[in-house]
Amino acid sequence: MTGSLSGCGGSDSQQGLAGADAPTTVKEVQRAEATPTREVPAPIADGSGSILTYSTVGYIDYGNPFFAPLGNGRACASCHQEGQAWSVTPAALQARFNASAGSDPIFQTVDGSNSPDAVTATLAQKQSAYSMLLTKGVIRVGLPLPAGAEFELTQVNDPYGFASAAQLSLFRRPLPAANLSFESTVMWDGRETLAASSNLCIKGTAPSQCFATQNADLGAQANAAAEGHAQLVGGLNATQQQSIVDFESALFVAQVSDNAAGNLGVNGATGGTQNLAAVPFYFGINDVVSGDYRSGTRFSSNVMNLFTAWQTAAPAPLPPGGRGAPPPVTADPAANARASIARGEQLFNTRPFDITGVAGLNDVLNQPNVRGTCSTCHDSPNAGTMSAPRLLDTGVAAANLRTPDLPLYTLKNIATGAMRQTTDPGRALITGKWSDLDKFKVPNLRGLAARAPYFHNGSQADLPSVIRFYDHRFQIGLSPQDVTDLANFLRAL
Ligand code: HEC
Ligand code: HEC
């Protein structure tokens, strides 16, 4: 990418002007009139191969206000970088820190540092003030305890000495500003999924919960981001807002090649970015609770089917022994890698386990034990979001997983006196509801390899760690080979 921030594109053509500055040849005139900020994206290497961004308009316009420095010098692109699947990674952030001696605009105390009060006079002070951003790629989202909440904050244990009921510090990963057409829910806590009277309603809810269009959500989101992260006084104007939304809504990003398996869109597979842009999505597609909102067909756990054709990539017969036996291998390493990805995809769709204690799912389905799969929650086909705006508590913010670098909040239910500890109350800080504690959206699973670490707080450094979290949380009983296959599959998304 060019990194060019100016929108210059020869709008004031020098044509017809006499004098030394006027272009002299036809070729130079053409160059002056071209739009140098527009580029057709190329693949960018990541840890396991490469990702590619595709824009439905055919190019990426680096002259879009998405790339323009706003109030405090930050742009949307400060935290949403093409090469990191439109998020940011700790390694790239540390490189930016080193290259700029900590003065890249992302390093600002408004929400880049562990506390807004952090001292950042020397380089060493900066390195420590921005340690959460540099090690986990998390931004400090500051949100107050909402008025009228069903709970109160009785204790704050903030290692950085700042958080209070007026502003809790919530360390969260930038979500990709791409693949947005698969999102039913905007932001980790859904706070930009705006309520509205519309026909976009969650089925079977009383009173019915209905939502604004995604265009409206993203417009509000862009404005809040400009005012918040970029401290743009007065916000974006309507033209900037819509051009940012149009820009990001056109972006698709996915892994296109894998170091071991090669091109992810060959031999019948439909991985890669171009295929992703053609994946259908609508509000409630393949909904796990009520079935598909348009066709009415029952939920299918066969959510991911990009690599079905690769199931026969390593054609040797299965040795006797069934599950747990080593997978068949051939002399061709790429064929073995393709077979592993295909096995991982089948595990994602079909390996059953008991989903228990997930607020937002078990209670909604009225089943204390849901016999499900990874695709139960990641229900939107070949994208992995949840196709209706339901937020779930899978336990990522629970006190037992708290690491010393995270704040711990103790909350008390005002009506019942019940107590709960959490590192991030999630949805409950938006609704004030005790039952929404620790609920987060089910995020998109495409372009994962380029944007570690994972979960809202960046707590899992890599994909095998994510899988081991689930194995432990739901007692799945995955073998080491299963973990490898699932991780290879997730890396290929
Ligand atoms: C300082 C870093 C930073 C900057 C600058 C920034 N963002 Fe973000 N962005 C984040 C974080 C962190 C989140 C997730 C926060 C949360 O969910 O609470 C996020 C979430 C989003 C999402 C939600 C995606 C989803 O799947 O729900 C979109 C869209 C987005 N940002 C677009 C933008 C735009 C547009 C701009 C510029 C106007 C911008 N961001 C500027 C850090 C940033
Ligand atoms: C009970 C619902 C549920 C099930 C089952 C489930 N997930 Fe998730 N998944 C979520 C939610 C919710 C999140 C976000 C959690 C957070 O960050 O707090 C998530 C996040 C993820 C992420 C991180 C994405 C990112 O951008 O950080 C990956 C990867 C993932 N899940 C893969 C899987 C795999 C693989 C399985 C099966 C072993 C699985 N999930 C099963 C609900 C679920």
Side-chain angles (χ1 to χ4, degrees), residues 74-76 79-80 172-174 186-188 191 221-222 225 229 244 248 441:
R74 282 176 172 173
C76 306
C79 301
H80 299 282
R172 296 185 185 166
R173 296 276 296 131
V186 180
M187 310 307 267
W188 282 110
R191 69 185 179 280
Q221 192 283 333
H229 304 303
I244 287 175
E248 63 188 5
K441 79 161 173 174

mmCIF file with all atom_site columns, all heavy atoms in Angstrom, residues 74-76 79-80 172-174 186-188 191 221-222 225 229 244 248 441, ligand 1:
data_model
loop_
_atom_site.group_PDB
_atom_site.id
_atom_site.type_symbol
_atom_site.label_atom_id
_atom_site.label_alt_id
_atom_site.label_comp_id
_atom_site.label_asym_id
_atom_site.label_entity_id
_atom_site.label_seq_id
_atom_site.pdbx_PDB_ins_code
_atom_site.Cartn_x
_atom_site.Cartn_y
_atom_site.Cartn_z
_atom_site.occupancy
_atom_site.B_iso_or_equiv
_atom_site.pdbx_formal_charge
_atom_site.auth_seq_id
_atom_site.auth_comp_id
_atom_site.auth_asym_id
_atom_site.auth_atom_id
_atom_site.pdbx_PDB_model_num
ATOM   1   N  N   . ARG A 1 74  ? -4.761  10.470  14.211 1.00 0.00 ? 74  ARG A N   1
ATOM   2   C  CA  . ARG A 1 74  ? -5.053  9.079   13.893 1.00 0.00 ? 74  ARG A CA  1
ATOM   3   C  C   . ARG A 1 74  ? -6.045  9.005   12.746 1.00 0.00 ? 74  ARG A C   1
ATOM   4   O  O   . ARG A 1 74  ? -6.929  9.849   12.623 1.00 0.00 ? 74  ARG A O   1
ATOM   5   C  CB  . ARG A 1 74  ? -5.689  8.384   15.085 1.00 0.00 ? 74  ARG A CB  1
ATOM   6   C  CG  . ARG A 1 74  ? -4.728  7.968   16.170 1.00 0.00 ? 74  ARG A CG  1
ATOM   7   C  CD  . ARG A 1 74  ? -5.558  7.409   17.279 1.00 0.00 ? 74  ARG A CD  1
ATOM   8   N  NE  . ARG A 1 74  ? -4.788  6.789   18.342 1.00 0.00 ? 74  ARG A NE  1
ATOM   9   C  CZ  . ARG A 1 74  ? -5.337  6.362   19.468 1.00 0.00 ? 74  ARG A CZ  1
ATOM   10  N  NH1 . ARG A 1 74  ? -6.640  6.500   19.665 1.00 0.00 ? 74  ARG A NH1 1
ATOM   11  N  NH2 . ARG A 1 74  ? -4.607  5.805   20.391 1.00 0.00 ? 74  ARG A NH2 1
ATOM   12  N  N   . ALA A 1 75  ? -5.908  7.962   11.935 1.00 0.00 ? 75  ALA A N   1
ATOM   13  C  CA  . ALA A 1 75  ? -6.898  7.643   10.912 1.00 0.00 ? 75  ALA A CA  1
ATOM   14  C  C   . ALA A 1 75  ? -7.566  6.339   11.315 1.00 0.00 ? 75  ALA A C   1
ATOM   15  O  O   . ALA A 1 75  ? -7.084  5.634   12.210 1.00 0.00 ? 75  ALA A O   1
ATOM   16  C  CB  . ALA A 1 75  ? -6.210  7.479   9.560  1.00 0.00 ? 75  ALA A CB  1
ATOM   17  N  N   . CYS A 1 76  ? -8.665  5.999   10.650 1.00 0.00 ? 76  CYS A N   1
ATOM   18  C  CA  . CYS A 1 76  ? -9.243  4.669   10.870 1.00 0.00 ? 76  CYS A CA  1
ATOM   19  C  C   . CYS A 1 76  ? -8.160  3.623   10.635 1.00 0.00 ? 76  CYS A C   1
ATOM   20  O  O   . CYS A 1 76  ? -8.040  2.636   11.370 1.00 0.00 ? 76  CYS A O   1
ATOM   21  C  CB  . CYS A 1 76  ? -10.402 4.418   9.904  1.00 0.00 ? 76  CYS A CB  1
ATOM   22  S  SG  . CYS A 1 76  ? -11.684 5.685   9.914  1.00 0.00 ? 76  CYS A SG  1
ATOM   23  N  N   . CYS A 1 79  ? -5.643  1.792   13.164 1.00 0.00 ? 79  CYS A N   1
ATOM   24  C  CA  . CYS A 1 79  ? -5.988  0.575   13.903 1.00 0.00 ? 79  CYS A CA  1
ATOM   25  C  C   . CYS A 1 79  ? -6.581  -0.506  13.008 1.00 0.00 ? 79  CYS A C   1
ATOM   26  O  O   . CYS A 1 79  ? -6.890  -1.602  13.497 1.00 0.00 ? 79  CYS A O   1
ATOM   27  C  CB  . CYS A 1 79  ? -6.987  0.888   15.012 1.00 0.00 ? 79  CYS A CB  1
ATOM   28  S  SG  . CYS A 1 79  ? -6.376  2.085   16.202 1.00 0.00 ? 79  CYS A SG  1
ATOM   29  N  N   . HIS A 1 80  ? -6.798  -0.201  11.770 1.00 0.00 ? 80  HIS A N   1
ATOM   30  C  CA  . HIS A 1 80  ? -7.392  -1.169  10.834 1.00 0.00 ? 80  HIS A CA  1
ATOM   31  C  C   . HIS A 1 80  ? -6.506  -1.204  9.600  1.00 0.00 ? 80  HIS A C   1
ATOM   32  O  O   . HIS A 1 80  ? -6.660  -0.393  8.689  1.00 0.00 ? 80  HIS A O   1
ATOM   33  C  CB  . HIS A 1 80  ? -8.821  -0.759  10.470 1.00 0.00 ? 80  HIS A CB  1
ATOM   34  C  CG  . HIS A 1 80  ? -9.762  -0.709  11.648 1.00 0.00 ? 80  HIS A CG  1
ATOM   35  N  ND1 . HIS A 1 80  ? -10.310 -1.835  12.215 1.00 0.00 ? 80  HIS A ND1 1
ATOM   36  C  CD2 . HIS A 1 80  ? -10.249 0.334   12.362 1.00 0.00 ? 80  HIS A CD2 1
ATOM   37  C  CE1 . HIS A 1 80  ? -11.096 -1.496  13.233 1.00 0.00 ? 80  HIS A CE1 1
ATOM   38  N  NE2 . HIS A 1 80  ? -11.076 -0.175  13.345 1.00 0.00 ? 80  HIS A NE2 1
ATOM   39  N  N   . ARG A 1 172 ? -9.794  -4.239  24.455 1.00 0.00 ? 172 ARG A N   1
ATOM   40  C  CA  . ARG A 1 172 ? -10.436 -4.981  23.360 1.00 0.00 ? 172 ARG A CA  1
ATOM   41  C  C   . ARG A 1 172 ? -9.664  -4.861  22.051 1.00 0.00 ? 172 ARG A C   1
ATOM   42  O  O   . ARG A 1 172 ? -9.134  -3.800  21.720 1.00 0.00 ? 172 ARG A O   1
ATOM   43  C  CB  . ARG A 1 172 ? -11.863 -4.465  23.152 1.00 0.00 ? 172 ARG A CB  1
ATOM   44  C  CG  . ARG A 1 172 ? -12.755 -4.719  24.355 1.00 0.00 ? 172 ARG A CG  1
ATOM   45  C  CD  . ARG A 1 172 ? -14.175 -4.316  24.062 1.00 0.00 ? 172 ARG A CD  1
ATOM   46  N  NE  . ARG A 1 172 ? -15.026 -4.444  25.242 1.00 0.00 ? 172 ARG A NE  1
ATOM   47  C  CZ  . ARG A 1 172 ? -16.226 -3.915  25.355 1.00 0.00 ? 172 ARG A CZ  1
ATOM   48  N  NH1 . ARG A 1 172 ? -16.724 -3.207  24.345 1.00 0.00 ? 172 ARG A NH1 1
ATOM   49  N  NH2 . ARG A 1 172 ? -16.933 -4.080  26.453 1.00 0.00 ? 172 ARG A NH2 1
ATOM   50  N  N   . ARG A 1 173 ? -9.720  -5.955  21.281 1.00 0.00 ? 173 ARG A N   1
ATOM   51  C  CA  . ARG A 1 173 ? -9.073  -6.012  19.973 1.00 0.00 ? 173 ARG A CA  1
ATOM   52  C  C   . ARG A 1 173 ? -9.884  -5.225  18.941 1.00 0.00 ? 173 ARG A C   1
ATOM   53  O  O   . ARG A 1 173 ? -11.126 -5.338  18.915 1.00 0.00 ? 173 ARG A O   1
ATOM   54  C  CB  . ARG A 1 173 ? -9.008  -7.470  19.491 1.00 0.00 ? 173 ARG A CB  1
ATOM   55  C  CG  . ARG A 1 173 ? -8.155  -8.367  20.348 1.00 0.00 ? 173 ARG A CG  1
ATOM   56  C  CD  . ARG A 1 173 ? -6.685  -8.272  19.980 1.00 0.00 ? 173 ARG A CD  1
ATOM   57  N  NE  . ARG A 1 173 ? -6.405  -8.733  18.628 1.00 0.00 ? 173 ARG A NE  1
ATOM   58  C  CZ  . ARG A 1 173 ? -5.674  -8.044  17.741 1.00 0.00 ? 173 ARG A CZ  1
ATOM   59  N  NH1 . ARG A 1 173 ? -5.213  -6.841  18.016 1.00 0.00 ? 173 ARG A NH1 1
ATOM   60  N  NH2 . ARG A 1 173 ? -5.431  -8.561  16.545 1.00 0.00 ? 173 ARG A NH2 1
ATOM   61  N  N   . PRO A 1 174 ? -9.213  -4.464  18.072 1.00 0.00 ? 174 PRO A N   1
ATOM   62  C  CA  . PRO A 1 174 ? -9.928  -3.875  16.937 1.00 0.00 ? 174 PRO A CA  1
ATOM   63  C  C   . PRO A 1 174 ? -10.512 -4.995  16.058 1.00 0.00 ? 174 PRO A C   1
ATOM   64  O  O   . PRO A 1 174 ? -9.780  -5.889  15.630 1.00 0.00 ? 174 PRO A O   1
ATOM   65  C  CB  . PRO A 1 174 ? -8.843  -3.096  16.193 1.00 0.00 ? 174 PRO A CB  1
ATOM   66  C  CG  . PRO A 1 174 ? -7.784  -2.809  17.232 1.00 0.00 ? 174 PRO A CG  1
ATOM   67  C  CD  . PRO A 1 174 ? -7.805  -4.026  18.133 1.00 0.00 ? 174 PRO A CD  1
ATOM   68  N  N   . VAL A 1 186 ? -22.641 -5.132  15.400 1.00 0.00 ? 186 VAL A N   1
ATOM   69  C  CA  . VAL A 1 186 ? -21.479 -4.260  15.245 1.00 0.00 ? 186 VAL A CA  1
ATOM   70  C  C   . VAL A 1 186 ? -20.907 -3.910  16.618 1.00 0.00 ? 186 VAL A C   1
ATOM   71  O  O   . VAL A 1 186 ? -21.626 -3.407  17.486 1.00 0.00 ? 186 VAL A O   1
ATOM   72  C  CB  . VAL A 1 186 ? -21.848 -2.974  14.467 1.00 0.00 ? 186 VAL A CB  1
ATOM   73  C  CG1 . VAL A 1 186 ? -20.627 -2.069  14.299 1.00 0.00 ? 186 VAL A CG1 1
ATOM   74  C  CG2 . VAL A 1 186 ? -22.427 -3.328  13.093 1.00 0.00 ? 186 VAL A CG2 1
ATOM   75  N  N   . MET A 1 187 ? -19.619 -4.178  16.791 1.00 0.00 ? 187 MET A N   1
ATOM   76  C  CA  . MET A 1 187 ? -18.806 -4.034  18.001 1.00 0.00 ? 187 MET A CA  1
ATOM   77  C  C   . MET A 1 187 ? -18.928 -5.290  18.872 1.00 0.00 ? 187 MET A C   1
ATOM   78  O  O   . MET A 1 187 ? -19.914 -6.032  18.793 1.00 0.00 ? 187 MET A O   1
ATOM   79  C  CB  . MET A 1 187 ? -19.151 -2.796  18.859 1.00 0.00 ? 187 MET A CB  1
ATOM   80  C  CG  . MET A 1 187 ? -19.218 -1.490  18.100 1.00 0.00 ? 187 MET A CG  1
ATOM   81  S  SD  . MET A 1 187 ? -17.766 -1.095  17.103 1.00 0.00 ? 187 MET A SD  1
ATOM   82  C  CE  . MET A 1 187 ? -16.819 -0.114  18.255 1.00 0.00 ? 187 MET A CE  1
ATOM   83  N  N   . TRP A 1 188 ? -17.891 -5.511  19.686 1.00 0.00 ? 188 TRP A N   1
ATOM   84  C  CA  . TRP A 1 188 ? -17.858 -6.714  20.531 1.00 0.00 ? 188 TRP A CA  1
ATOM   85  C  C   . TRP A 1 188 ? -19.100 -6.801  21.420 1.00 0.00 ? 188 TRP A C   1
ATOM   86  O  O   . TRP A 1 188 ? -19.602 -7.889  21.703 1.00 0.00 ? 188 TRP A O   1
ATOM   87  C  CB  . TRP A 1 188 ? -16.598 -6.701  21.417 1.00 0.00 ? 188 TRP A CB  1
ATOM   88  C  CG  . TRP A 1 188 ? -15.340 -7.089  20.709 1.00 0.00 ? 188 TRP A CG  1
ATOM   89  C  CD1 . TRP A 1 188 ? -14.287 -6.274  20.394 1.00 0.00 ? 188 TRP A CD1 1
ATOM   90  C  CD2 . TRP A 1 188 ? -14.982 -8.397  20.239 1.00 0.00 ? 188 TRP A CD2 1
ATOM   91  N  NE1 . TRP A 1 188 ? -13.302 -7.014  19.751 1.00 0.00 ? 188 TRP A NE1 1
ATOM   92  C  CE2 . TRP A 1 188 ? -13.706 -8.307  19.652 1.00 0.00 ? 188 TRP A CE2 1
ATOM   93  C  CE3 . TRP A 1 188 ? -15.620 -9.644  20.259 1.00 0.00 ? 188 TRP A CE3 1
ATOM   94  C  CZ2 . TRP A 1 188 ? -13.048 -9.417  19.088 1.00 0.00 ? 188 TRP A CZ2 1
ATOM   95  C  CZ3 . TRP A 1 188 ? -14.978 -10.736 19.699 1.00 0.00 ? 188 TRP A CZ3 1
ATOM   96  C  CH2 . TRP A 1 188 ? -13.706 -10.623 19.130 1.00 0.00 ? 188 TRP A CH2 1
ATOM   97  N  N   . ARG A 1 191 ? -22.798 -2.509  20.653 1.00 0.00 ? 191 ARG A N   1
ATOM   98  C  CA  . ARG A 1 191 ? -23.345 -1.193  21.003 1.00 0.00 ? 191 ARG A CA  1
ATOM   99  C  C   . ARG A 1 191 ? -23.673 -0.325  19.801 1.00 0.00 ? 191 ARG A C   1
ATOM   100 O  O   . ARG A 1 191 ? -24.377 0.666   19.927 1.00 0.00 ? 191 ARG A O   1
ATOM   101 C  CB  . ARG A 1 191 ? -22.427 -0.442  21.972 1.00 0.00 ? 191 ARG A CB  1
ATOM   102 C  CG  . ARG A 1 191 ? -21.087 0.028   21.428 1.00 0.00 ? 191 ARG A CG  1
ATOM   103 C  CD  . ARG A 1 191 ? -20.258 0.634   22.574 1.00 0.00 ? 191 ARG A CD  1
ATOM   104 N  NE  . ARG A 1 191 ? -18.952 1.084   22.145 1.00 0.00 ? 191 ARG A NE  1
ATOM   105 C  CZ  . ARG A 1 191 ? -17.893 0.300   21.966 1.00 0.00 ? 191 ARG A CZ  1
ATOM   106 N  NH1 . ARG A 1 191 ? -18.014 -0.989  22.140 1.00 0.00 ? 191 ARG A NH1 1
ATOM   107 N  NH2 . ARG A 1 191 ? -16.738 0.796   21.599 1.00 0.00 ? 191 ARG A NH2 1
ATOM   108 N  N   . GLN A 1 221 ? -21.198 4.151   13.845 1.00 0.00 ? 221 GLN A N   1
ATOM   109 C  CA  . GLN A 1 221 ? -19.930 3.614   14.354 1.00 0.00 ? 221 GLN A CA  1
ATOM   110 C  C   . GLN A 1 221 ? -18.765 4.492   13.906 1.00 0.00 ? 221 GLN A C   1
ATOM   111 O  O   . GLN A 1 221 ? -17.884 4.831   14.707 1.00 0.00 ? 221 GLN A O   1
ATOM   112 C  CB  . GLN A 1 221 ? -19.748 2.172   13.859 1.00 0.00 ? 221 GLN A CB  1
ATOM   113 C  CG  . GLN A 1 221 ? -18.626 1.398   14.542 1.00 0.00 ? 221 GLN A CG  1
ATOM   114 C  CD  . GLN A 1 221 ? -17.243 1.779   14.054 1.00 0.00 ? 221 GLN A CD  1
ATOM   115 O  OE1 . GLN A 1 221 ? -17.064 2.217   12.924 1.00 0.00 ? 221 GLN A OE1 1
ATOM   116 N  NE2 . GLN A 1 221 ? -16.259 1.643   14.927 1.00 0.00 ? 221 GLN A NE2 1
ATOM   117 N  N   . ALA A 1 222 ? -18.731 4.843   12.597 1.00 0.00 ? 222 ALA A N   1
ATOM   118 C  CA  . ALA A 1 222 ? -17.617 5.632   12.071 1.00 0.00 ? 222 ALA A CA  1
ATOM   119 C  C   . ALA A 1 222 ? -17.530 6.974   12.786 1.00 0.00 ? 222 ALA A C   1
ATOM   120 O  O   . ALA A 1 222 ? -16.443 7.442   13.146 1.00 0.00 ? 222 ALA A O   1
ATOM   121 C  CB  . ALA A 1 222 ? -17.779 5.840   10.563 1.00 0.00 ? 222 ALA A CB  1
ATOM   122 N  N   . ALA A 1 225 ? -16.201 6.458   16.262 1.00 0.00 ? 225 ALA A N   1
ATOM   123 C  CA  . ALA A 1 225 ? -14.760 6.169   16.218 1.00 0.00 ? 225 ALA A CA  1
ATOM   124 C  C   . ALA A 1 225 ? -13.970 7.446   15.979 1.00 0.00 ? 225 ALA A C   1
ATOM   125 O  O   . ALA A 1 225 ? -12.925 7.679   16.589 1.00 0.00 ? 225 ALA A O   1
ATOM   126 C  CB  . ALA A 1 225 ? -14.461 5.141   15.127 1.00 0.00 ? 225 ALA A CB  1
ATOM   127 N  N   . HIS A 1 229 ? -11.730 7.568   19.277 1.00 0.00 ? 229 HIS A N   1
ATOM   128 C  CA  . HIS A 1 229 ? -10.320 7.223   19.044 1.00 0.00 ? 229 HIS A CA  1
ATOM   129 C  C   . HIS A 1 229 ? -9.527  8.391   18.468 1.00 0.00 ? 229 HIS A C   1
ATOM   130 O  O   . HIS A 1 229 ? -8.363  8.576   18.775 1.00 0.00 ? 229 HIS A O   1
ATOM   131 C  CB  . HIS A 1 229 ? -10.190 6.072   18.030 1.00 0.00 ? 229 HIS A CB  1
ATOM   132 C  CG  . HIS A 1 229 ? -10.921 4.832   18.363 1.00 0.00 ? 229 HIS A CG  1
ATOM   133 N  ND1 . HIS A 1 229 ? -10.740 4.137   19.525 1.00 0.00 ? 229 HIS A ND1 1
ATOM   134 C  CD2 . HIS A 1 229 ? -11.839 4.122   17.653 1.00 0.00 ? 229 HIS A CD2 1
ATOM   135 C  CE1 . HIS A 1 229 ? -11.511 3.055   19.519 1.00 0.00 ? 229 HIS A CE1 1
ATOM   136 N  NE2 . HIS A 1 229 ? -12.191 3.032   18.400 1.00 0.00 ? 229 HIS A NE2 1
ATOM   137 N  N   . ILE A 1 244 ? -16.689 6.688   4.088  1.00 0.00 ? 244 ILE A N   1
ATOM   138 C  CA  . ILE A 1 244 ? -15.994 5.678   4.905  1.00 0.00 ? 244 ILE A CA  1
ATOM   139 C  C   . ILE A 1 244 ? -16.810 4.381   4.945  1.00 0.00 ? 244 ILE A C   1
ATOM   140 O  O   . ILE A 1 244 ? -16.274 3.290   4.756  1.00 0.00 ? 244 ILE A O   1
ATOM   141 C  CB  . ILE A 1 244 ? -15.741 6.214   6.338  1.00 0.00 ? 244 ILE A CB  1
ATOM   142 C  CG1 . ILE A 1 244 ? -14.639 7.268   6.310  1.00 0.00 ? 244 ILE A CG1 1
ATOM   143 C  CG2 . ILE A 1 244 ? -15.385 5.074   7.287  1.00 0.00 ? 244 ILE A CG2 1
ATOM   144 C  CD1 . ILE A 1 244 ? -14.381 7.957   7.653  1.00 0.00 ? 244 ILE A CD1 1
ATOM   145 N  N   . GLU A 1 248 ? -15.454 0.742   3.552  1.00 0.00 ? 248 GLU A N   1
ATOM   146 C  CA  . GLU A 1 248 ? -15.213 -0.470  4.346  1.00 0.00 ? 248 GLU A CA  1
ATOM   147 C  C   . GLU A 1 248 ? -16.224 -1.563  4.017  1.00 0.00 ? 248 GLU A C   1
ATOM   148 O  O   . GLU A 1 248 ? -15.886 -2.755  4.055  1.00 0.00 ? 248 GLU A O   1
ATOM   149 C  CB  . GLU A 1 248 ? -15.197 -0.154  5.856  1.00 0.00 ? 248 GLU A CB  1
ATOM   150 C  CG  . GLU A 1 248 ? -16.512 0.373   6.399  1.00 0.00 ? 248 GLU A CG  1
ATOM   151 C  CD  . GLU A 1 248 ? -16.443 0.858   7.852  1.00 0.00 ? 248 GLU A CD  1
ATOM   152 O  OE1 . GLU A 1 248 ? -15.347 0.876   8.441  1.00 0.00 ? 248 GLU A OE1 1
ATOM   153 O  OE2 . GLU A 1 248 ? -17.510 1.225   8.390  1.00 0.00 ? 248 GLU A OE2 1
ATOM   154 N  N   . LYS A 1 441 ? -20.227 -10.569 21.046 1.00 0.00 ? 441 LYS A N   1
ATOM   155 C  CA  . LYS A 1 441 ? -20.731 -11.082 19.785 1.00 0.00 ? 441 LYS A CA  1
ATOM   156 C  C   . LYS A 1 441 ? -19.883 -12.252 19.299 1.00 0.00 ? 441 LYS A C   1
ATOM   157 O  O   . LYS A 1 441 ? -18.723 -12.411 19.691 1.00 0.00 ? 441 LYS A O   1
ATOM   158 C  CB  . LYS A 1 441 ? -20.772 -9.982  18.729 1.00 0.00 ? 441 LYS A CB  1
ATOM   159 C  CG  . LYS A 1 441 ? -19.451 -9.654  18.077 1.00 0.00 ? 441 LYS A CG  1
ATOM   160 C  CD  . LYS A 1 441 ? -19.758 -8.923  16.767 1.00 0.00 ? 441 LYS A CD  1
ATOM   161 C  CE  . LYS A 1 441 ? -18.522 -8.392  16.104 1.00 0.00 ? 441 LYS A CE  1
ATOM   162 N  NZ  . LYS A 1 441 ? -18.840 -7.822  14.791 1.00 0.00 ? 441 LYS A NZ  1
HETATM 163 C  C1  . HEC B 2 .   ? -7.366  3.588   18.167 1.00 0.00 ? 1   HEC B C1  1
HETATM 164 C  C2  . HEC B 2 .   ? -7.753  2.473   17.372 1.00 0.00 ? 1   HEC B C2  1
HETATM 165 C  C3  . HEC B 2 .   ? -8.961  2.593   16.468 1.00 0.00 ? 1   HEC B C3  1
HETATM 166 C  C4  . HEC B 2 .   ? -9.230  3.580   15.546 1.00 0.00 ? 1   HEC B C4  1
HETATM 167 C  C5  . HEC B 2 .   ? -8.448  4.830   15.256 1.00 0.00 ? 1   HEC B C5  1
HETATM 168 C  C6  . HEC B 2 .   ? -10.439 3.174   14.869 1.00 0.00 ? 1   HEC B C6  1
HETATM 169 N  N1  . HEC B 2 .   ? -10.860 1.964   15.364 1.00 0.00 ? 1   HEC B N1  1
HETATM 170 FE FE1 . HEC B 2 .   ? -12.377 0.846   14.647 1.00 0.00 ? 1   HEC B FE1 1
HETATM 171 N  N2  . HEC B 2 .   ? -12.226 -0.408  16.225 1.00 0.00 ? 1   HEC B N2  1
HETATM 172 C  C7  . HEC B 2 .   ? -11.256 -0.341  17.185 1.00 0.00 ? 1   HEC B C7  1
HETATM 173 C  C8  . HEC B 2 .   ? -11.594 -1.236  18.276 1.00 0.00 ? 1   HEC B C8  1
HETATM 174 C  C9  . HEC B 2 .   ? -10.778 -1.455  19.544 1.00 0.00 ? 1   HEC B C9  1
HETATM 175 C  C10 . HEC B 2 .   ? -12.818 -1.845  17.937 1.00 0.00 ? 1   HEC B C10 1
HETATM 176 C  C11 . HEC B 2 .   ? -13.630 -2.814  18.812 1.00 0.00 ? 1   HEC B C11 1
HETATM 177 C  C12 . HEC B 2 .   ? -14.163 -2.016  20.011 1.00 0.00 ? 1   HEC B C12 1
HETATM 178 C  C13 . HEC B 2 .   ? -15.319 -2.659  20.729 1.00 0.00 ? 1   HEC B C13 1
HETATM 179 O  O1  . HEC B 2 .   ? -15.973 -3.542  20.158 1.00 0.00 ? 1   HEC B O1  1
HETATM 180 O  O2  . HEC B 2 .   ? -15.623 -2.244  21.850 1.00 0.00 ? 1   HEC B O2  1
HETATM 181 C  C14 . HEC B 2 .   ? -13.177 -1.320  16.627 1.00 0.00 ? 1   HEC B C14 1
HETATM 182 C  C15 . HEC B 2 .   ? -14.301 -1.718  15.898 1.00 0.00 ? 1   HEC B C15 1
HETATM 183 C  C16 . HEC B 2 .   ? -14.605 -1.247  14.637 1.00 0.00 ? 1   HEC B C16 1
HETATM 184 C  C17 . HEC B 2 .   ? -15.676 -1.753  13.804 1.00 0.00 ? 1   HEC B C17 1
HETATM 185 C  C18 . HEC B 2 .   ? -16.651 -2.857  14.157 1.00 0.00 ? 1   HEC B C18 1
HETATM 186 C  C19 . HEC B 2 .   ? -16.489 -4.092  13.307 1.00 0.00 ? 1   HEC B C19 1
HETATM 187 C  C20 . HEC B 2 .   ? -17.393 -5.205  13.752 1.00 0.00 ? 1   HEC B C20 1
HETATM 188 O  O3  . HEC B 2 .   ? -17.231 -6.324  13.251 1.00 0.00 ? 1   HEC B O3  1
HETATM 189 O  O4  . HEC B 2 .   ? -18.255 -5.021  14.630 1.00 0.00 ? 1   HEC B O4  1
HETATM 190 C  C21 . HEC B 2 .   ? -15.670 -1.002  12.650 1.00 0.00 ? 1   HEC B C21 1
HETATM 191 C  C22 . HEC B 2 .   ? -16.606 -1.122  11.477 1.00 0.00 ? 1   HEC B C22 1
HETATM 192 C  C23 . HEC B 2 .   ? -14.618 -0.021  12.785 1.00 0.00 ? 1   HEC B C23 1
HETATM 193 N  N3  . HEC B 2 .   ? -13.972 -0.217  13.990 1.00 0.00 ? 1   HEC B N3  1
HETATM 194 C  C24 . HEC B 2 .   ? -14.356 0.992   11.858 1.00 0.00 ? 1   HEC B C24 1
HETATM 195 C  C25 . HEC B 2 .   ? -13.565 2.099   12.166 1.00 0.00 ? 1   HEC B C25 1
HETATM 196 C  C26 . HEC B 2 .   ? -13.593 3.338   11.414 1.00 0.00 ? 1   HEC B C26 1
HETATM 197 C  C27 . HEC B 2 .   ? -14.465 3.593   10.220 1.00 0.00 ? 1   HEC B C27 1
HETATM 198 C  C28 . HEC B 2 .   ? -12.690 4.170   11.994 1.00 0.00 ? 1   HEC B C28 1
HETATM 199 C  C29 . HEC B 2 .   ? -12.363 5.616   11.629 1.00 0.00 ? 1   HEC B C29 1
HETATM 200 C  C30 . HEC B 2 .   ? -13.440 6.553   11.639 1.00 0.00 ? 1   HEC B C30 1
HETATM 201 C  C31 . HEC B 2 .   ? -12.100 3.434   13.104 1.00 0.00 ? 1   HEC B C31 1
HETATM 202 N  N4  . HEC B 2 .   ? -12.677 2.205   13.186 1.00 0.00 ? 1   HEC B N4  1
HETATM 203 C  C32 . HEC B 2 .   ? -11.075 3.921   13.897 1.00 0.00 ? 1   HEC B C32 1
HETATM 204 C  C33 . HEC B 2 .   ? -10.122 0.459   17.139 1.00 0.00 ? 1   HEC B C33 1
HETATM 205 C  C34 . HEC B 2 .   ? -10.007 1.589   16.352 1.00 0.00 ? 1   HEC B C34 1
#
